[in-house]
Amino acid sequence: MTPLVLLIIIAAYLLGSISSAVLISRFYRLPDPRDTGSGNPGATNVLRLGGKKAAAMVLICDILKGMLPVWFSYYLNINPFLLGIIGIAACLGHIYPIFFHFRGGKGVATALGALAPIGWDLSGMLIGTWLLAVLITGYSSLASLITALAAPMLTWMVKPEYTMPVSMLSCLIVLRHHDNVRRLLEGKETKIWQKISRKTKPGSS
């Protein structure tokens, strides 16, 4: 590993550590998403707390945190395995942000951003998988798990040389959703439609 790659890995982690959900919630004077709703500082929880505009901003920022360092590295011709490590570093920053007391999100949007440089065809398939799973099940967390599990197979179909790093990234996402898996098994997980409807009720946030 060259010093340049090591520097990019550190930079990816630090960029991932910028919690857009917390910062945007502060900008809109919303409750801290780490302490309210699901407790997850991500776009879905911000959607519940502050509506579509704030959630869209969080989603875009979280995707860019993964996309920018990997895309930059991709054009430096860094090998696929190290690209995966850089993507994982960005996701680890999102999950365990050094600037926000290591209280981060699930890393799904950041992982999607990290996978985008592999190809827009792969990104489209991943987004389509997530949307289809949400429409069928109503659970954002379950859709994320299904997409993470499908990602290595979809990557193998598009660019097989990236299958291993994508598999590593998928494992990280699945492990991060262990609480959601427990709630799903117990029937306690909240559907995304319920989160949106609760936002419309007085005192819901």
Side-chain angles (χ1 to χ4, degrees), residues 140-156:
S140 173
S141 57
L142 182 56
S144 298
L145 285 166
I146 292 171
T147 304
L149 292 172
M153 181 184 67
L154 296 175
T155 304
W156 180 79

Side-chain angles (χ1 to χ4, degrees), residues 154-167:
L154 296 175
T155 304
W156 180 79
M157 293 169 57
V158 178
K159 289 189 178 179
E161 65 270 26
Y162 289 95
T163 303
M164 178 58 71
V166 170
S167 299

Side-chain angles (χ1 to χ4, degrees), residues 71-86:
W71 215 332
F72 176 75
S73 305
Y74 183 85
Y75 283 106
L76 290 179
N77 293 318
I78 292 175
N79 71 65
F81 178 77
L82 291 177
L83 282 178
I85 297 299
I86 292 166

Side-chain angles (χ1 to χ4, degrees), residues 1 9 79-89 91-92 95 106-107 111 114-115 118 148-149 151-153 155 161-176:
M1 184 182 298
I9 291 172
N79 71 65
F81 178 77
L82 291 177
L83 282 178
I85 297 299
I86 292 166
I88 289 171
C91 289
L92 285 173
I95 295 169
K106 304 292 185 183
L115 296 178
I118 296 177
L149 292 172
M153 181 184 67
T155 304
E161 65 270 26
Y162 289 95
T163 303
M164 178 58 71
V166 170
S167 299
M168 294 166 60
L169 200 54
S170 294
C171 287
L172 177 63
I173 298 301
V174 171
L175 289 173
R176 183 57 176 158

